[in-house]
Amino acid sequence: MATFAKPENALKRAEELINVGQKQEALQALHGLITSKRYRAWQKTLERIMFKYVELCVDMRRGRFAKDGLIQYRIVCQQVNINSLEEVIKHFMHLATERAELARSKAQALEEALDVDDLEADNRPEDLMISYVSGEKWKDRSDREMVTPWFKFLWETYRTVLEILRNNSKLEALYAMTAHRAFQFCKQYKRTTEFRRLCEIIRNHLANLNKYRDQRDRPDLSAPESLQLYLDTRFEQLKVATELALWQEAFRSVEDIHALMCMVKKTPKASLLVIYYAKLTEIFWISSSHLYHAYAWLKLFSLQKSFNKNLSQKDLQLIASSVVLAALSVSPYDCSYGASHLELENEKERRLRVANLIGFNVEPKPESREMLSRSSLLLELVAKGVMACVTTEVKDIYHLLEHAFHPLDLAAQVQPLLTKISKLGGKLSSASSVPEVQLSQYVPSLEKLATLRLLQQVSQVYQTMKIETLSGMIPFSEFALVEKIAVDAVKSNFISIRIDHMKGAVFFGSQGLESEGLRNHLSSFAESMSKIRNLIYSPLKKVSQLGETLSSLPDVVEKEHKRLLARKSIIEKRKEEQERHLLEMEREEESRRLKLQKITEEAEQRRLASEYERRKNQRILREIEERELEEAKALLQEAEKRSKKKGKKPIIDGEKITKQTLMELALSEQLRERQEMEKKLQKLAKTMDYLERAKREEAAPLIEIAFQRRLVDEKDIHEREQQREIELSRLRHTGDLEEKRRLSEKLGNKKIFQERVVNRREAEFNKLKKERLEQISQIIRSRKSERETRRKMIYYLKLEEDRMKKLREEEEARQREEAERRKEEEAKRKAKLDEIAAKQRQRELELEEKEKRWKEEVLQMRPTIVPANSAHSDQPRTLDSAPSQGGKYIPKHRRAQAESAPPPQDQRRGGGNRMDDRPDKWREDRRPVSGMVGGPRSSFLSSRSRGER
C-alpha cells in the first residue's frame, strides 16, 4: 500500500488512475488513506476524498468498501464536524438511487425498443436459442442483468447507512430519513421480503439501544425531538405495511409503536393516534377479528369527535354508522365454547394483549383490566352517545337485530335495510387518516347475524318446521349457508337445532321452563291473550259507577295533586337547568372574549416588538454607514497629508462625492504609496548589495594575513603548554612513589586486624547458624507430629464414618426384610381370610337354597284338621298328620325320628302355633341358621380370625 505525505497527493493519484481506467487501483489507494491512522484529524481535503471514494464505490458496486470507509470516516469526524459525515452519506445514497433509476430506465427503453412488428428481423439466433432453452422473456433477462444488481446495491446502501447511524444521537434525522426512503423503495418496487428484513433491522436497533444504555452518543428517547423521529418512522412503517398487504408485519408495527410508548411512558398526539386506530381497523378486519375491529372504530370515533374540529356532520354520521355496524358484525356467541383449558388461557392472554393495544395503556395494570366482549361494547356505544349520530337505517337495523322479536318476518324486514346500507359510504372530506368509509363491507356479517337471530327466535316458538318454510323465511341466503351457520351456532351452544334432510324438516331443541326466552315469551303471550279476551268478552258495566267513582275520587285527586307537584318540580328543574346553561354560555362567551382580547394584545405586543426591532436594525445600519464614512474620510485625509499635495481638497458631500468614491480614492492612494515604497526598497536593496560585495572584496586579503599570523601564535602557545605539562607529571610521579613506600610499612598491621575481625564475625555467624538450624529442626518435628496427629484423626473419622454407614445399611436391610416379611404374612393372612369368606359364602348359599326348598314344600303341602279329642288319643301319628300337630312344620330329615319317637308328654292344648312347642333339636338347628343368614359377615370373620389367633 502506497503512503502519501499529504491527503491531496492521494486524491491527485486517484484521479490520475481513474483517467487511465484503473478504478480498482484508485479505490485501493483511497481506501488505504482513509483506513490509515496517520490521518485521524479532520480536514476539508478528507471530505473531498470521501466524495470521490463513494463515487468509485457506487460506480464499481463495492458495498463493503463503502461501509468500511464510512465507518472510518465516522471515527474521524464524530466529535469535530458531524455535518461532513451527513453530507457524505447523503451523496452516497443519492448516487446509488440515481444509478438504480438509470438502470431501470435503460431496461424500460430496451423493452420499448424491442416492441416491433417483425420479431424475427431483430432477434439473433443465439437470443432465440437462449429464450427457447431458459423460457424467460426479454424483460426478465434484462432486469436480471441490468436492474437487479443495482437494486441489490441500493438495498445494501440503505442497510449500510442504517447500520452506521443506528446509535448516533447527532444524526437521528438522517437515520429517520434513510428509513423513510428505504420504506418508499420497498413500497415502490413491491419488495415484501426486504420490507420484513428492514422492519426487523429497525426493531433490533431499538432493542440494542435499550440494552446498552452506557454508550457515548446514544440517542435519548425521552427528548421530544428524538421520540417524534422514532414515532414517525414507526408510523411510516405501519402505513407501508398496510399498503403492501403485509398484515402480520403491520400488527407487529402496531406492537412496536405501543412498546415504544410504554418505554418512554408517554401517550402520542391525537393526530398520530388517529392513524394508529385507522390502521388497526384494517388489520383486525382482514384478520376477521370483528370484536377488536369494532373497538378500534369506537376509539377512532372518539378521537375524531374530540380533536377534529373540521369534521362535518355527514362524516361524523358515517364514522358512527361504521362503529355500530362493526359492533353488530361481532358474533353473538363465544366461539371458544368447549375448548381446552390451555386454549382458553392462551385466548385470555391474547385478549388482554390486544386490549392493551386498543386501549393504549402506557402503564397497564393487570388488576384493573377488563375483558372485551360484545355486550360491553354495545353498552358503551349507548353510553357514549354513538347511537345519536348514526343514520336512520342503522338505527332501525340495530333495533331489529338486538331488541325486536319477529321470528317469521325478521329477515324480510332486514333485507331492504341492508340494501340501503350497502349504498351508503364514500370519501371523507376532513378526516385524512380515514380517507374512505364503505358500509357495504358489513352486509355479509349482518346477514349472518340476521340468520342467527331468526333461528334463535324461531327455536323459542316452534319445535318443528319444514326446510322449505325456513329457507323461504331467509331470502338473502341459500339453505346450505344457513345450515353451515346453524352448525357453527350449535357447536358454540347458542341454539339447539337438528336438520333431517330425509324428512325435510328442522327440529328445534326444547328449552327449560326457567329459560329467559321462554319465560318472557309466556308472559307476553299471557298479556296478548288477556287483551284478546277483553276484546271478545267486554266486562259488564256496573250500575253503581257513580258510587265507585265517588269513593275512589280522593285517591284520584291525591294522585293528580302528586302528578302536578312532580310536574311543577320538573318545570322548576328545567328552568334552573336553562338558567345554568345560560350562565355557562355567558361564562364561555366572557372567557372567549377575554381570550380574544388577550390574543389581540399579544398580537399588538408582537407588532410593537417587531417595529422596535426594525427601527433598531435601521439605526444600527445607519450608524455603521456613518462610521464607515468617517473611516473613509480619515483614510483620505491621511493619504493627502502623506502625499503633501497642494490645492483644493475634495468636498465631502453626499451629492458630489459618495462613500464608495471615498473608499476607492483611499484604496487607490494606499496602493500607489505601497508601489512607491516597494520601488524604493528594491533600489535600496540593490545599492546595499553592491556595497556589501565591495566590502568583502577589500577585506578578503586582510583576513588571510590575520589568519596566518594567528597560526604562528597558536603553535608557540601549544609548545609552552606541552613543556609545562611534562614537568608537572614528573613531580606527581615522585610524590606517588614516596606515598607508596610509607604505606607499605603498615601492611602487616592491616593484615593482622583484618584476620581478627574476620575470625570474630565468622564465630558469630556459626553460632547464629547453629541456633537457626535447631529452631528449624524443632519446627519440623512439631509440624511432623501435627501432621501425624491430623492423619490419625482423619483415619479414625473415616473408619467411624464407614462403620456408621455400614450400620445404617444393615439397619436399612433389616427394615426392608422386616417389611417384606410383614407383607408376606399380611398376604397369607388375607388369602386365608378370603378362603374362609368364600367357604362362608358357600355355606350361606347352601342354607339359602335349603330355606327356599323348605318354603316351597310348605306352600305345596295341605294341612289336615284334627278333632279336639284326638289330642288325648293314644294312636300314633302318621306322616300325613304330622305337619298338622300344632300347625308346625317338621323337616324331612326329622320325620323319621318323629315317627319312631313317642309323642311328647307335656303337650298342651291350643299351643300348636307357638315357637316353644317345636322340637328342641329343630329349634337348635334353626337358631344358627337364622344367625348366619341375618347376622353380619364381619362379626363372623372377626370371630373366626380371633379363634385362629
Side-chain angles (χ1 to χ4, degrees):
M1 181 182 67
T3 57
F4 302 95
K6 295 181 180 180
E8 293 85 351
N9 299 339
L11 183 60
K12 185 177 179 180
R13 177 61 177 167
E15 290 177 350
E16 293 174 355
L17 291 172
I18 292 171
N19 292 331
V20 297
Q22 298 181 1
K23 293 183 179 181
Q24 181 64 33
E25 287 75 7
L27 182 64
Q28 290 289 349
L30 294 180
H31 183 266
L33 176 74
I34 294 168
T35 56
S36 176
K37 295 183 179 180
R38 294 177 59 185
Y39 309 103
R40 288 302 172 91
W42 184 86
Q43 48 185 322
K44 191 66 176 178
T45 308
L46 285 179
E47 184 176 348
R48 297 200 305 271
I49 290 173
M50 283 303 300
F51 278 122
K52 181 61 70 176
Y53 181 76
V54 296
E55 288 174 4
L56 285 172
C57 291
V58 172
D59 194 16
M60 302 175 66
R61 293 202 298 268
R62 298 299 176 88
R64 295 185 180 274
F65 275 85
K67 183 177 181 179
D68 193 9
L70 288 173
I71 290 173
Q72 295 297 328
Y73 191 63
R74 181 186 63 181
I75 297 172
V76 171
C77 61
Q78 175 71 33
Q79 306 298 331
V80 181
N81 189 3
I82 197 65
N83 294 327
S84 177
L85 177 62
E86 183 177 0
E87 294 297 327
V88 171
I89 289 176
K90 286 182 179 178
H91 184 64
F92 178 44
M93 289 195 296
H94 172 71
L95 290 175
T97 307
E98 186 179 8
R99 294 301 296 271
E101 291 293 336
L102 182 62
R104 184 167 173 267
S105 61
K106 285 183 179 179
Q108 289 180 353
L110 286 174
E111 183 182 0
E112 293 174 358
L114 287 174
D115 190 8
V116 294
D117 296 333
D118 190 4
L119 295 177
E120 295 182 359
D122 292 319
N123 283 340
R124 297 176 298 175
E126 52 270 23
D127 294 337
L128 290 173
M129 187 177 296
I130 291 174
S131 65
Y132 291 149
V133 173
S134 63
E136 293 180 342
K137 296 182 179 179
W138 168 258
K139 184 179 183 303
D140 298 335
R141 292 199 302 274
S142 63
D143 288 348
R144 189 181 62 191
E145 295 174 0
M146 300 176 62
V147 182
T148 304
W150 283 110
F151 274 15
K152 286 183 178 179
F153 180 76
L154 180 58
W155 168 245
E156 188 178 358
T157 300
Y158 288 139
R159 291 192 59 175
T160 299
V161 174
L162 289 174
E163 185 68 24
I164 291 172
L165 303 176
R166 61 188 176 88
N167 56 355
N168 198 323
S169 60
K170 299 178 181 179
L171 295 177
E172 290 176 338
L174 183 59
Y175 179 85
M177 185 195 75
T178 306
H180 282 252
R181 293 180 66 174
F183 288 143
Q184 293 302 320
F185 167 78
C186 297
K187 173 186 172 182
Q188 183 179 0
Y189 301 110
K190 309 296 182 184
R191 307 305 303 175
T192 56
T193 306
E194 285 76 11
F195 179 77
R196 291 191 187 95
R197 291 174 183 169
L198 179 61
C199 295
E200 193 65 30
I201 288 170
I202 294 176
R203 197 172 292 117
N204 290 334
H205 287 175
L206 183 60
N208 292 331
L209 193 66
N210 296 322
K211 185 178 180 181
Y212 306 105
R213 296 180 177 270
D214 54 347
Q215 294 179 355
R216 182 176 182 180
D217 298 318
R218 174 183 174 272
D220 187 12
L221 294 179
S222 59
E225 296 81 6
S226 302
L227 180 61
Q228 189 62 35
L229 288 173
Y230 275 87
L231 270 181
D232 292 342
T233 304
R234 265 59 183 184
F235 275 101
E236 183 66 22
Q237 174 182 333
L238 177 59
K239 290 179 183 177
V240 176
T242 53
E243 290 175 1
L244 291 176
L246 299 174
W247 303 110
Q248 186 176 5
E249 198 61 42
F251 185 75
R252 295 187 67 186
S253 302
V254 169
E255 289 184 326
D256 292 343
I257 294 171
H258 186 265
L260 183 62
M261 290 297 98
C262 292
M263 195 182 303
V264 297
K265 299 293 187 293
K266 186 178 180 182
T267 305
K269 299 178 182 178
S271 58
L272 294 178
L273 280 179
V274 168
I275 301 173
Y276 176 84
Y277 286 117
K279 298 303 179 183
L280 270 183
T281 56
E282 298 180 22
I283 294 170
F284 288 138
W285 181 255
I286 293 297
S287 61
S288 298
S289 301
H290 295 163
L291 178 62
Y292 307 140
H293 171 76
Y295 268 101
W297 260 119
L298 180 59
K299 287 286 185 180
L300 185 59
F301 170 79
S302 302
L303 287 172
Q304 292 283 9
K305 187 177 180 182
S306 302
F307 297 100
N308 195 348
K309 303 302 181 184
N310 299 324
L311 195 67
S312 63
Q313 187 64 27
K314 182 181 178 182
D315 296 341
L316 185 63
Q317 197 175 37
L318 278 177
I319 295 176
S321 301
S322 298
V323 176
V324 175
L325 293 181
L328 292 176
S329 299
V330 181
S331 179
Y333 52 82
D334 190 5
C335 297
S336 61
Y337 177 80
S340 64
H341 177 71
L342 181 61
E343 292 176 352
L344 293 176
E345 288 296 325
N346 293 335
E347 182 66 20
K348 182 179 179 181
E349 289 296 327
R350 180 175 176 270
R351 288 186 178 181
L352 292 176
R353 175 182 169 194
V354 176
N356 284 333
L357 292 179
I358 295 175
F360 214 95
N361 299 323
V362 178
E363 295 181 355
K365 297 180 180 179
E367 63 274 4
S368 63
R369 291 184 295 185
E370 297 181 358
M371 298 298 292
L372 305 180
S373 63
R374 186 177 187 271
S375 58
S376 62
L377 175 60
L378 294 175
L379 292 176
E380 195 170 356
L381 292 181
V382 177
K384 290 188 176 181
V386 181
M387 298 302 299
C389 303
V390 300
T391 60
T392 308
E393 294 82 1
V394 176
K395 283 184 181 178
D396 294 341
I397 199 168
Y398 172 76
H399 177 72
L400 283 174
L401 294 178
E402 294 298 325
H403 301 292
F405 186 81
H406 302 287
L408 297 178
D409 58 347
L410 178 64
Q413 295 182 23
V414 167
Q415 188 177 12
L417 295 176
L418 291 179
T419 305
K420 294 179 181 179
I421 288 174
S422 62
K423 298 177 182 179
L424 296 177
K427 294 184 178 180
L428 302 184
S429 58
S430 55
S432 59
S433 60
V434 188
E436 188 176 2
V437 173
Q438 293 294 339
L439 302 183
S440 58
Q441 62 179 349
Y442 300 109
V443 171
S445 301
L446 294 176
E447 291 177 351
K448 180 181 178 182
L449 179 62
T451 305
L452 286 172
R453 292 300 185 195
L454 189 142
L455 292 174
Q456 184 184 21
Q457 294 176 9
V458 168
S459 65
Q460 295 176 6
V461 179
Y462 297 97
Q463 289 185 351
T464 307
M465 180 178 287
K466 290 184 178 180
I467 292 178
E468 294 81 4
T469 306
L470 183 61
S471 179
M473 292 167 60
I474 307 174
F476 44 75
S477 299
E478 297 180 356
F479 187 75
L481 181 60
V482 175
E483 185 177 3
K484 185 178 180 181
I485 294 172
V487 169
D488 293 336
V490 169
K491 285 182 180 178
S492 300
N493 199 25
F494 182 68
I495 56 175
S496 179
I497 187 173
R498 183 168 56 87
I499 301 173
D500 193 342
H501 288 279
M502 295 182 67
K503 296 180 180 180
V506 179
F507 299 94
F508 299 100
S510 60
Q511 295 181 333
L513 293 176
E514 296 300 324
S515 63
E516 184 69 23
L518 190 57
R519 183 168 65 248
N520 294 337
H521 176 63
L522 291 176
S523 61
S524 61
F525 180 72
E527 292 176 359
S528 302
M529 293 300 294
S530 177
K531 291 179 182 179
I532 294 170
R533 177 179 163 283
N534 292 331
L535 291 174
I536 297 174
Y537 304 103
S538 58
L540 298 175
K541 296 181 179 180
K542 296 182 180 180
V543 179
S544 60
Q545 287 185 354
L546 182 61
E548 292 182 358
T549 305
L550 292 176
S551 63
S552 62
L553 186 60
D555 297 335
V556 173
V557 172
E558 183 68 23
K559 290 180 181 179
E560 187 68 19
H561 180 63
K562 289 181 180 179
R563 187 181 66 80
L564 291 176
L565 290 177
R567 186 172 180 272
K568 183 179 178 181
S569 63
I570 290 171
I571 292 172
E572 290 178 355
K573 287 182 180 178
R574 287 179 180 176
K575 288 182 179 180
E576 293 176 358
E577 187 69 25
Q578 188 175 4
E579 291 176 359
R580 190 181 302 110
H581 183 63
L582 291 174
L583 288 174
E584 288 180 357
M585 289 180 64
E586 291 177 358
R587 194 180 298 111
E588 290 178 358
E589 186 67 26
E590 184 66 21
S591 63
R592 193 179 300 111
R593 186 183 61 79
L594 293 175
K595 186 176 180 181
L596 183 60
Q597 183 180 357
K598 184 178 180 181
I599 292 172
T600 307
E601 291 176 357
E602 290 178 354
E604 183 65 22
Q605 289 178 1
R606 287 196 296 271
R607 189 187 64 80
L608 293 175
S610 62
E611 184 68 21
Y612 174 74
E613 289 292 333
R614 186 179 62 79
R615 292 178 181 178
K616 183 179 178 181
N617 293 332
Q618 289 179 357
R619 181 175 55 80
I620 291 172
L621 291 173
R622 190 166 57 252
E623 290 177 358
I624 290 171
E625 290 177 357
E626 291 175 358
R627 191 180 299 111
E628 290 179 352
L629 187 60
E630 290 177 0
E631 290 176 358
K633 290 178 181 179
L635 288 173
L636 188 59
Q637 291 175 2
E638 186 179 355
E640 289 176 353
K641 288 179 182 179
R642 285 196 302 269
S643 61
K644 295 181 181 180
K645 289 184 178 180
K646 294 182 179 181
K648 191 176 180 180
K649 297 181 180 179
I651 301 171
I652 308 301
D653 193 358
E655 295 178 356
K656 297 180 180 180
I657 188 166
T658 61
K659 170 191 168 185
Q660 187 67 24
T661 307
L662 291 174
M663 294 294 292
E664 290 177 357
L665 289 173
L667 290 175
S668 62
E669 185 65 24
Q670 287 181 0
L671 184 60
R672 187 181 59 78
E673 290 179 359
R674 191 180 298 112
Q675 290 175 355
E676 290 179 357
M677 184 61 69
E678 287 179 356
K679 289 180 181 178
K680 289 181 181 179
L681 288 175
Q682 289 178 0
K683 186 176 180 181
L684 182 60
K686 191 172 182 180
T687 305
M688 292 298 293
D689 190 13
Y690 285 132
L691 182 60
E692 185 67 25
R693 187 183 295 112
K695 286 181 180 179
R696 291 188 180 183
E697 287 178 356
E698 292 295 331
L702 299 176
I703 291 172
E704 182 66 25
I705 294 170
F707 176 70
Q708 295 296 333
R709 190 182 300 115
R710 185 175 179 182
L711 285 177
V712 174
D713 294 341
E714 287 181 354
K715 184 176 180 182
D716 295 340
I717 292 169
H718 174 69
E719 290 177 355
R720 285 197 302 272
E721 290 292 331
Q722 188 176 9
Q723 190 65 30
R724 187 164 62 83
E725 185 66 29
I726 290 170
E727 293 296 332
L728 289 174
S729 296
R730 286 199 187 101
L731 293 174
R732 213 181 290 118
H733 179 68
T734 304
D736 291 341
L737 289 176
E738 185 65 25
E739 184 70 19
K740 181 180 178 182
R741 185 187 60 75
R742 188 177 64 80
L743 292 175
S744 61
E745 294 177 356
K746 299 179 176 58
L747 184 61
N749 296 331
K750 176 253 181 187
K751 290 181 179 179
I752 294 170
F753 179 75
Q754 181 180 357
E755 290 177 358
R756 187 165 61 250
V757 171
V758 169
N759 293 332
R760 187 178 68 252
R761 292 183 177 178
E762 186 176 0
E764 291 177 356
F765 173 75
N766 292 332
K767 181 179 178 182
L768 292 174
K769 182 178 179 181
K770 185 176 180 182
E771 292 176 357
R772 178 66 177 169
L773 291 175
E774 289 178 357
Q775 290 179 359
I776 291 171
S777 61
Q778 186 177 359
I779 291 171
I780 290 172
R781 286 194 300 273
S782 64
R783 291 182 179 177
K784 187 175 181 182
S785 62
E786 289 177 359
R787 286 197 300 272
E788 188 68 24
T789 304
R790 191 182 301 109
R791 194 181 301 111
K792 289 181 180 180
M793 182 60 69
I794 292 170
Y795 179 70
Y796 173 74
L797 291 175
K798 186 177 180 182
L799 290 179
E800 188 66 21
E801 184 178 359
D802 294 341
R803 187 179 66 81
M804 294 300 293
K805 184 177 180 182
K806 187 175 181 181
L807 289 175
R808 284 195 300 270
E809 291 177 354
E810 291 176 356
E811 182 66 21
E812 291 175 357
R814 187 183 62 78
Q815 290 178 357
R816 285 196 299 272
E817 292 176 358
E818 185 67 21
E820 292 176 357
R821 185 179 59 77
R822 284 199 299 269
K823 191 182 295 184
E824 291 177 358
E825 290 178 356
E826 187 67 23
K828 290 179 181 180
R829 187 174 64 82
K830 188 176 180 181
K832 199 169 185 180
L833 291 175
D834 292 341
E835 184 180 357
I836 293 169
K839 291 179 179 180
Q840 180 64 22
R841 284 194 297 272
Q842 185 67 26
R843 290 183 61 187
E844 288 176 357
L845 293 174
E846 292 176 358
L847 290 174
E848 288 176 359
E849 186 67 26
K850 289 179 181 180
E851 186 72 18
K852 186 176 180 182
R853 287 197 302 270
W854 172 71
K855 289 180 180 179
E856 291 176 355
E857 290 176 358
V858 169
L859 293 174
Q860 292 176 2
M861 291 175 63
R862 293 182 178 180
T864 305
I865 299 173
V866 182
N869 55 4
S870 64
H872 302 280
S873 63
D874 297 329
Q875 294 179 2
R877 300 171 183 247
T878 62
L879 292 174
D880 295 333
S881 61
S884 64
Q885 294 178 3
K888 300 176 182 178
Y889 170 72
I890 299 175
K892 188 176 180 180
H893 63 280
R894 295 291 185 185
R895 291 175 187 172
Q897 298 178 4
E899 291 175 358
S900 60
Q905 298 297 328
D906 54 351
Q907 188 176 13
R908 290 179 293 226
R909 189 185 304 268
N913 57 353
R914 297 178 58 184
M915 292 296 294
D916 294 336
D917 295 337
R918 297 176 184 177
D920 297 335
K921 192 171 183 181
W922 185 85
R923 287 201 306 270
E924 291 174 359
D925 293 338
R926 290 291 295 171
R927 191 178 294 111
V929 171
S930 62
M932 285 185 289
V933 173
R937 187 184 302 175
S938 59
S939 61
F940 176 78
L941 293 177
S942 61
S943 62
R944 292 297 300 269
S945 62
R946 283 196 298 270
E948 290 176 359
R949 290 194 187 97

